[in-house]
Amino acid sequence: MAVPQLLSMFLLTITTTTKQEQEKEEIKVKETVRKYDNSLYKRGDLLEVPRTLFTHFGIYLGNGRVAHLIPDILTVFSSNQNTIGTMVTNLRLILGAIAKTASVRVDSVEDFAYGGDILINPMDKVCSRPPYDGEEVARRAEKLMGPVDYSLLWYNCEHYVMYCRYGTVMSFQTFQFCKGVRKIFCSKRFSFVSALIGVAIMVYLQTDPLYSLLLTFFISFHIWMAS
């Protein structure tokens, strides 16, 4: 079967699945009957929605609209704005994150929040830079609309809003994650574990003792020195 046909079948499957998921998720959101008071938000406000594993960010544009960066696999297979413009489902988001593709799009406050609680401008308390004027923030957010390359660590929704509001591309979530990983992998305990794993692999594979021993020592020693 030709590659274009396979891609068409894959796109059709994704679209059908996402439509079904979207209908279920829209019903779920309606069942929560969670209302948002748009009068609380000003144009250029940074909106934060805490989720289970991460926090999602967006820039309020006014009239109940929020600009935000979100992974979306459909941007790879379709340019139809009606299809892409539908609410991003979990499947589209996960596949988009894996494929490292996303888009900066505008959604309603309800779709952006996805049933979660909204915090207004919480970054003003922790960012060392003062925020731009609200109109400038919104202008920056609107200027970056469209498909973008996505990276969970190096360019996510937080990097986007931080650039729009403060002029700096950074993510506190990424910083905390990398800090946690460093604590785990650059610790004395992990250096001992890596040494034991290296010896176990050497014994199991029965490789050249000198080469394996040097490699095990090299890795463990550098972890030890970094701890």
Side-chain angles (χ1 to χ4, degrees):
M1 187 178 293
V3 174
Q5 291 177 309
L6 288 173
L7 291 176
S8 298
M9 290 178 62
F10 180 72
L11 178 59
L12 179 62
T13 303
I14 290 294
T15 304
T16 303
T17 305
T18 53
K19 284 182 178 179
Q20 293 174 348
E21 283 194 2
Q22 182 181 339
E23 291 175 358
K24 293 179 181 178
E25 289 166 354
E26 286 177 349
I27 293 173
K28 188 185 297 183
V29 171
K30 289 178 181 178
E31 287 176 349
T32 62
V33 195
R34 194 185 292 264
K35 296 181 180 180
Y36 301 96
D37 185 0
N38 293 339
S39 66
L40 297 175
Y41 318 129
K42 300 190 298 293
R43 182 169 164 83
D45 276 348
L46 188 156
L47 305 185
E48 175 181 311
V49 180
R51 301 274 173 85
T52 305
L53 299 176
F54 61 93
T55 300
H56 192 49
F57 299 89
I59 299 294
Y60 187 69
L61 301 179
N63 299 321
R65 301 173 302 126
V66 181
H68 60 130
L69 186 154
I70 186 168
D72 187 3
I73 191 63
L74 281 189
T75 59
V76 175
F77 300 102
S78 176
S79 58
N80 188 319
Q81 294 303 314
N82 291 330
T83 301
I84 297 175
T86 57
M87 187 171 65
V88 177
T89 61
N90 288 331
L91 178 61
R92 284 169 58 180
L93 188 151
I94 293 171
L95 292 177
I98 294 173
K100 295 184 177 296
T101 180
S103 65
V104 176
R105 52 184 282 151
V106 177
D107 283 314
S108 66
V109 171
E110 290 76 16
D111 287 348
F112 163 75
Y114 199 58
D117 296 321
I118 294 179
L119 304 178
I120 306 173
N121 297 328
M123 291 297 183
D124 287 0
K125 301 176 182 178
V126 295
C127 185
S128 59
R129 297 191 179 192
Y132 291 120
D133 174 77
E135 188 58 38
E136 173 64 15
V137 175
R139 187 192 67 79
R140 283 170 164 254
E142 292 168 337
K143 187 178 180 180
L144 297 175
M145 292 294 171
V148 296
D149 293 331
Y150 179 79
S151 172
L152 187 62
L153 292 180
W154 311 122
Y155 195 66
N156 56 43
C157 60
E158 189 174 2
H159 292 94
Y160 165 71
V161 298
M162 291 295 288
Y163 168 77
C164 294
R165 188 163 175 84
Y166 307 103
T168 179
V169 182
M170 66 170 298
S171 169
F172 288 102
Q173 290 185 106
T174 298
F175 176 78
Q176 292 299 328
F177 174 79
C178 293
K179 185 178 179 180
V181 170
R182 191 183 70 169
K183 282 185 177 180
I184 295 173
F185 289 95
C186 294
S187 64
K188 295 178 180 179
R189 182 177 298 177
F190 191 79
S191 67
F192 287 123
V193 172
S194 65
L196 291 176
I197 291 175
V199 172
I201 292 175
M202 179 179 65
V203 173
Y204 178 77
L205 297 178
Q206 296 181 352
T207 55
D208 180 22
L210 179 60
Y211 174 78
S212 300
L213 186 61
L214 288 175
L215 182 61
T216 299
F217 174 78
F218 180 81
I219 295 174
S220 303
F221 175 75
H222 279 77
I223 295 175
W224 174 266
M225 293 303 295
S227 62

